Amino acid sequence: MIGIATFAGIIIMQLSPPPQVLGICLKAHNVETFNVYPIVQIFEDGKQKFLPDGVGKEIKDGKECIHIIHTDEVGDRLHIEYIRPIRLTIDDFMQLYSVDNKTITVINNETGSINKEIITLDNYDIQYSYFSENNEYTKISNSTLMPPFTKDMVVKIELKSKSKMTK
């Protein structure tokens, strides 16, 4: 009986999908053992924009939910926090950052004051790249091909207006 129960448990564990990591809410902030802080630089038509505070944070069931990928402040740094090392990519981040898969919110501080802007992604050609061990940015044709985030990774997202490209 014990052998059959153990075997059945192993089969069930192999067939059941793992929990959706992006849907997990941290129990507390800055207490987990795995923390990495990759940089994500966003450029809209050559001008740098910044990630807003609060990416990856939401109200869920009446309580604040901080996802394992989030921003702690306005800037270009992500915070990935989990109970163990985990492989997450820019594609995972974009699922939280662009919930509707159509827009992103950026911060423009060209004038010295912080202005939130909503960017409609369909209006841009998007180029992803990362700073590689070759000391250069390596372009990626699709965000799903990006290597996983590391503690010192720098990712660049370049948004080039489609209207400006046709001129």
Side-chain angles (χ1 to χ4, degrees):
M1 285 299 237
I2 294 173
I4 292 172
T6 302
F7 180 71
I10 290 170
I11 296 297
I12 290 170
M13 286 180 4
Q14 294 299 319
L15 296 177
S16 65
Q20 293 291 353
V21 156
L22 295 179
I24 293 173
C25 297
L26 298 172
K27 293 184 190 241
H29 189 233
N30 291 324
V31 297
E32 301 299 347
T33 56
F34 179 74
N35 288 276
V36 293
Y37 300 89
I39 293 173
V40 175
Q41 299 174 327
I42 300 173
F43 292 89
E44 179 190 20
D45 294 325
K47 295 179 181 175
Q48 187 166 12
K49 307 293 176 148
F50 296 95
L51 297 167
D53 182 19
V55 174
K57 297 174 185 175
E58 65 179 329
I59 301 298
K60 194 174 189 181
D61 300 326
K63 299 178 185 175
E64 183 181 55
C65 171
I66 301 175
H67 293 279
I68 61 175
I69 303 177
H70 58 273
T71 58
D72 292 326
E73 59 189 19
V74 171
D76 59 6
R77 194 164 298 274
L78 291 182
H79 185 183
I80 300 172
E81 180 178 6
Y82 200 53
I83 57 175
R84 61 177 171 75
I86 189 164
R87 295 174 51 95
L88 296 171
T89 66
I90 193 69
D91 205 43
D92 296 312
F93 171 66
M94 290 304 289
Q95 289 180 45
L96 290 174
Y97 186 34
S98 179
V99 178
D100 63 2
N101 206 22
K102 295 178 183 178
T103 61
I104 59 173
T105 301
V106 296
I107 301 298
N108 179 352
N109 70 347
E110 286 180 312
T111 62
S113 61
I114 294 176
N115 297 309
K116 277 189 176 184
E117 297 177 353
I118 296 174
I119 293 177
T120 303
L121 297 174
D122 282 345
N123 295 337
Y124 296 88
D125 287 318
I126 304 171
Q127 175 65 64
Y128 294 92
S129 60
Y130 69 98
F131 199 75
S132 69
E133 59 278 354
N134 298 333
N135 289 325
E136 63 185 12
Y137 280 95
T138 301
K139 291 184 178 184
I140 302 298
S141 59
N142 185 316
S143 64
T144 60
L145 301 175
M146 184 73 70
F149 286 121
T150 60
K151 64 180 174 152
D152 52 0
M153 186 173 203
V154 177
V155 174
K156 189 188 295 185
I157 303 172
E158 294 179 88
L159 306 167
K160 295 182 181 171
S161 292
K162 289 180 180 178
S163 62
K164 289 185 179 183
M165 296 194 62
T166 58
K167 290 182 181 178

